[in-house]
Amino acid sequence: MPSPIVALGYLGFYAQDLAAWEEWATQIFGFAKVRAPEGISSDHLYLRIDERQWRFAVEPGTEGRVAFIGWEAADANALEEVHRRLTAQGIEVVRDAELARKRCVQDLIRCEDPDGFRLEFFHGHLVSREPFVSPRGIGFVTGDMGLGHILITVSDIEKSKAFYLDLLGFRMSDYIVFGGNKVHFTHINPRHHSLAFVQTSDRIARLGHFMVEADDVDAVGFALDRLHASTWQLKETLGRHTNDRMLSFYCENPSGSQTEFGWGGRKIAHPGWLVETYDATAFWGHKVPGTEYSDRGPQSPREGI
């Protein structure tokens, strides 16, 4: 069953220190700060990484949980198909015209997934007439593959599979099994995965990390140098993943989750894609010396890969 969802469109976060978020995002990773949409309080932070009006929003609040996850539908008909599938399963869906205006999209519906993550489905995201100019000269791989990917930990893997795979039509890319965990990687476009999820032993739902991809390998190296020179903590060192072949590192972000910054991610090729299982997260690197593994995986806030 094809998915009416085509990409991860945008992300929203809570944070207590928006100035720290701005410095972290612009000075280390080269995101560009933009003016908040009309009707949004000036104490919100909006960030661009491409031609879209914005990709990341940060609002005042308690750190530790993502505020919202925006999934993009191709057009109005696709959005209606999302609405039909959700309501057919008895899921409460709200069409929110005012929120659509604030998000700079044509139409928007919202609901919660089985773990209470706030999901926003939309189409018609505004493309800015102003060219994207990174303060660090970085270009990002976005376009029809969306802003990147997210990994979430979930409380019940079967409920998550039923929601994202069976109901919304995400397709399996592959699995990584390690340290007692089985991570599910799913795709909706040529990016190897837009959503990964894993049930950990504590069964607590949280955002593990989000990933953005640079269009040049040197951008990753320069960002890592800037991170080392900052007060922000490296969580997993430079390495190459077994499944998506991404060359990347992980660091903390100001909202209490982690950020993966990488280059060279593998693309899905249909038909003929084989769903495989890997027994390690990386060919080399990634593990920070001193990190111990248990049935919950690396003992760090990311708790996964």
Side-chain angles (χ1 to χ4, degrees):
M1 179 175 59
S3 178
I5 308 302
V6 296
L8 176 63
Y10 55 71
L11 292 172
F13 295 90
Y14 294 119
Q16 296 180 352
D17 189 343
L18 270 67
W21 238 103
E22 179 182 344
E23 180 179 8
W24 175 90
T26 60
Q27 297 307 305
I28 295 178
F29 295 105
F31 297 5
K33 180 184 178 181
V34 294
R35 186 171 56 252
E38 183 180 352
I40 298 293
S41 171
S42 60
D43 62 356
H44 288 51
L45 173 67
Y46 282 79
L47 299 159
R48 288 179 69 184
I49 60 172
D50 61 4
E51 75 281 357
R52 295 292 180 89
Q53 181 70 21
W54 65 278
R55 290 286 195 175
F56 297 91
V58 188
E59 57 188 73
T62 303
E63 298 156 357
R65 188 170 177 86
V66 65
F68 53 86
I69 301 167
W71 293 106
E72 185 168 12
D75 54 29
N77 289 335
L79 187 61
E80 287 307 311
E81 175 62 13
V82 176
H83 188 280
R84 185 194 67 78
R85 293 187 188 188
L86 293 170
T87 55
Q89 294 299 312
I91 296 170
E92 182 179 359
V93 180
V94 176
R95 175 165 265 113
D96 195 329
E98 177 61 18
L99 186 59
R101 186 186 65 80
K102 291 180 179 179
R103 297 284 191 255
C104 305
V105 302
Q106 286 295 312
D107 197 6
L108 179 151
I109 60 176
R110 54 182 171 83
C111 71
E112 292 185 352
D113 82 349
D115 281 297
F117 286 106
R118 174 169 169 160
L119 307 184
E120 298 178 0
F121 301 96
F122 69 92
H123 82 91
H125 201 182
L126 182 64
V127 174
S128 176
R129 66 180 179 180
E130 298 294 332
F132 167 67
V133 179
S134 166
R136 288 297 187 179
I138 296 175
F140 298 88
V141 179
T142 57
D144 62 358
M145 296 192 297
L147 73 82
H149 74 237
I150 57 173
L151 178 144
I152 57 175
T153 62
V154 301
S155 62
D156 188 319
I157 196 71
E158 295 304 321
K159 288 183 179 180
S160 295
K161 287 164 62 177
F163 183 83
Y164 288 103
L165 299 175
D166 300 337
L167 180 57
L168 293 179
F170 285 57
R171 301 180 68 173
M172 284 304 309
S173 302
D174 44 45
Y175 309 92
I176 295 181
V177 178
F178 76 106
N181 291 325
K182 183 178 182 180
V183 190
H184 296 63
F185 295 85
T186 70
H187 65 273
I188 44 177
N189 58 49
R191 193 183 293 280
H192 175 272
H193 60 284
S194 294
L195 171 68
F197 50 89
V198 58
Q199 178 182 302
T200 51
S201 59
D202 60 14
R203 294 185 174 232
I204 296 176
R206 61 172 71 86
L207 175 69
H209 73 261
F210 72 87
M211 184 282 301
V212 290
E213 182 177 1
D215 64 3
D216 182 82
V217 67
D218 288 339
V220 177
F222 285 130
L224 184 57
D225 285 345
R226 291 191 292 270
L227 182 70
H228 282 310
S230 75
T231 59
W232 296 103
Q233 186 176 359
L234 178 71
K235 289 298 186 180
E236 298 197 34
T237 189
L238 194 67
R240 173 152 257 158
H241 281 307
T242 52
N243 61 344
D244 71 356
R245 309 296 199 268
M246 184 76 72
L247 178 71
S248 64
F249 66 86
Y250 293 77
C251 70
E252 64 178 340
N253 64 51
S255 287
S257 58
Q258 293 192 26
T259 298
E260 179 185 6
F261 190 51
W263 169 85
R266 188 181 185 186
K267 305 301 184 291
I268 295 287
H270 283 298
W273 180 261
L274 297 177
V275 176
E276 299 175 309
T277 301
Y278 297 83
D279 63 359
T281 63
F283 290 116
W284 53 268
H286 275 314
K287 184 180 177 183
V288 173
T291 300
E292 298 299 328
Y293 285 75
S294 72
D295 67 332
R296 293 172 60 189
Q299 296 304 289
S300 69
R302 189 166 54 83
E303 301 230 22
I305 71 166

